[in-house]
Amino acid sequence: MGRSKGGSGAKNGRQSNPKHLGVKRYAGELVTAGSIIVKQRGTKFFPGDNAKRAGDDSIFATADGKVVFHESNHRKYISIVNA
């Protein structure tokens, strides 16, 4: 027969849980050291001044200050500047 046509709904229900990715703190917002700024898969954003990249590619602040997004060499950077 080849193709199964009816039967149970056991073949459904394989949707994965949400990963809550994206920008968590936007430009101009004040952050404290250790605050996560972006959760991402891969490096869509790169760390700039006073920011580092975590093992899961998240960007977090290493100092207190204001979030700044800027672009250089076709890369998007996130920096923290003193408020």
Side-chain angles (χ1 to χ4, degrees):
M1 282 301 236
R3 194 175 127 217
S4 62
K5 207 162 171 171
S8 76
K11 294 179 221 161
N12 301 329
R14 278 181 293 279
Q15 186 172 357
S16 62
N17 293 326
K19 303 303 176 209
H20 306 290
L21 302 175
V23 178
K24 306 298 180 188
R25 298 280 183 259
Y26 294 93
E29 286 192 51
L30 294 174
V31 294
T32 56
S35 298
I36 292 177
I37 303 163
V38 175
K39 294 278 263 184
Q40 60 185 355
R41 293 289 172 262
T43 49
K44 181 174 181 181
F45 296 97
F46 290 84
D49 297 332
N50 296 323
K52 289 210 171 176
R53 186 171 65 90
D56 64 350
D57 294 321
S58 298
I59 306 292
F60 65 95
T62 57
D64 297 350
K66 193 164 50 168
V67 178
V68 176
F69 289 79
H70 53 96
E71 195 168 329
S72 174
N73 299 332
H74 304 291
R75 283 186 170 184
K76 296 174 187 167
Y77 289 92
I78 300 173
S79 296
I80 310 299
V81 296
N82 293 337

